[in-house]
Amino acid sequence: MTADLIAVVLLLAVTAYACAGGADYGAGFWDLTAGGARRGRRARWLVDHAMAPVWEVNNVWLIFVLVLMWTGFPVLFQAVFSAMWVPLALAVVGMVLRGAGFAFRKPSRRPAGRRLYGAVFAVASVVTPFFLGAAAGGVASGRVTPGTEASAHAWSGPTSLVFGLGAVTTSAFLGAVFLTGDARRFDAPDLVGHFRRRALGGLGVLAVLAVVTAFVLHDDSPYVWHGLTHGPGLFLVAVAVVSAVATGALLLRASPGVWVRVAAVGAVGSSVLAWGTAQRPYLLPTSLTVADAAGAPATLTWLAIVTLVALLLVVPAVVLLYWLDTHGELEELTDAELRGGGSTGARDDGGPAAGGDG
């Protein structure tokens, strides 16, 4: 019973990272595709201002996932990281480079340095979710079993490919939805339209990719396919479809509100939950069940207690952080404000007051 509870918490943590971290990676995707220095200046300005207050906290969910895996399900941890250390290592390198690029590009004084750091941040924002998705696809396909040796076969199959592309596309979709709201909050109507169109485009690509994924899963991962087309898995798929349609409808409104973010997160979160539910009772379809992968009973009991305490401390703090960010309470001070004079609207960082979208 305790093992099942920890497995549910693990799935919820993966879902939280897919949604929160996905929006983060998506912002980096649109930074990459914003265009040249002049044309993409305002879009990149919005990415910087939208991400800066919360970008690091999203990795809390990834750390939580890793702790639950190696403590609660050591056999799962060993199997996954032994068989797929290559894509996971590439994803970690991407995270490090992404963080460094984001941290160094704004204070860099030389244009060449800003371009270099910006390119590192943007490219890593695409590479990282792809390899994380490819690893998840390797799990869903059943290619990873206890004792599987590291090889490209474990993570380069059709399911891994569509999961990797799905992770990038989902991130781009979430990032565009969140940036649409941030553009509205920063009173930048041109950027609202800019990212609204990209969110709708991302939603369309996701719809096509979902159909392709269904065909791939039918042939390459029959166990997960059966779980997605029956019982709770089918219900969650239906929730994801309804949420996606609602997201599209809300994006078409003249002024998308906060509910468009809720609908987008609902679509992505339901999809991840559907995948996890479709695998039950397996953590590695058809080779490793939750019961077989679980650690010692005493370890699981203490892990459940520590997890409860952590959630009671962390979740309210994260919710407060997101609330403060969405209500504009975490904006950086401008040079004029630091000097004790000048208007807050007269920005020197290329913000909305700087004019049109060159």
Side-chain angles (χ1 to χ4, degrees):
M1 184 65 180
T2 306
D4 291 332
L5 175 62
I6 299 299
V8 170
V9 175
L10 176 61
L11 177 58
L12 292 175
V14 171
T15 304
Y17 184 66
C19 295
D24 237 5
Y25 292 125
F29 177 91
W30 297 119
D31 188 292
L32 178 65
T33 59
R38 182 179 180 84
R39 181 170 177 268
R41 177 174 57 88
R42 278 172 51 74
R44 293 190 175 97
W45 171 87
L46 183 62
V47 169
D48 280 345
H49 281 68
M51 286 182 59
V54 298
W55 72 284
E56 189 62 39
V57 76
N58 293 325
N59 288 324
V60 167
W61 303 115
L62 179 60
I63 296 170
F64 194 35
V65 168
L66 294 176
V67 171
L68 289 175
M69 281 183 66
W70 80 57
T71 308
F73 305 103
V75 179
L76 171 68
F77 186 87
Q78 181 184 20
V80 170
F81 279 81
S82 295
M84 297 190 293
W85 70 267
V86 172
L88 292 172
L90 290 172
V92 170
V93 170
M95 292 176 196
V96 173
L97 293 177
R98 181 175 183 272
F102 184 76
F104 288 124
R105 75 168 178 175
K106 191 170 184 179
S108 179
R109 295 184 178 276
R110 296 182 178 179
R114 287 197 296 270
R115 286 194 294 269
L116 174 61
Y117 292 129
V120 169
F121 161 71
V123 172
S125 295
V126 177
V127 170
T128 303
F130 176 82
F131 282 115
L132 289 175
V139 171
S141 68
R143 286 178 167 81
V144 179
T145 62
T148 300
E149 296 182 357
S151 68
H153 173 75
W155 56 274
S156 62
T159 302
S160 291
L161 178 60
V162 295
F163 269 46
L165 293 175
V168 174
T169 307
T170 297
S171 297
F173 162 66
L174 279 176
V177 169
F178 274 62
L179 288 169
T180 300
D182 288 324
R184 181 170 173 265
R185 174 161 59 91
F186 284 114
D187 193 25
D190 58 314
L191 293 180
V192 172
H194 177 89
F195 285 110
R196 188 210 310 265
R197 290 189 296 272
R198 282 151 181 76
L200 289 170
L203 185 59
V205 174
L206 269 181
V208 174
L209 192 58
V211 175
V212 174
T213 302
F215 283 103
V216 170
L217 289 177
H218 182 271
D219 295 330
D220 195 52
S221 183
Y223 188 87
V224 172
W225 165 257
H226 182 272
L228 290 173
T229 54
H230 295 80
L234 178 59
F235 171 76
L236 288 167
V237 169
V239 172
V241 171
V242 171
S243 298
V245 171
T247 304
L250 290 168
L251 283 170
L252 291 173
R253 295 176 56 184
S255 180
V258 68
W259 287 108
V260 70
R261 293 188 176 191
V262 174
V265 169
V268 174
S270 298
S271 300
V272 177
L273 291 173
W275 161 50
T277 302
Q279 292 192 174
R280 64 190 180 96
Y282 294 100
L283 292 174
L284 296 176
T286 62
S287 62
L288 186 66
T289 65
V290 172
D292 291 337
T299 301
L300 291 175
T301 300
W302 279 107
L303 181 59
I305 294 172
V306 171
T307 298
L308 177 61
V309 174
L311 291 176
L312 290 175
L313 293 175
V314 172
V315 171
V318 172
V319 170
L320 176 61
L321 177 65
Y322 288 156
W323 187 90
L324 290 173
D325 178 45
T326 56
H327 286 75
E329 300 294 333
L330 302 178
E331 294 183 37
E332 297 178 355
L333 294 175
T334 64
D335 289 344
E337 290 170 322
L338 288 172
R339 296 189 184 101
S343 169
T344 59
R347 311 186 66 97
D348 61 357
D349 53 9
D357 189 7

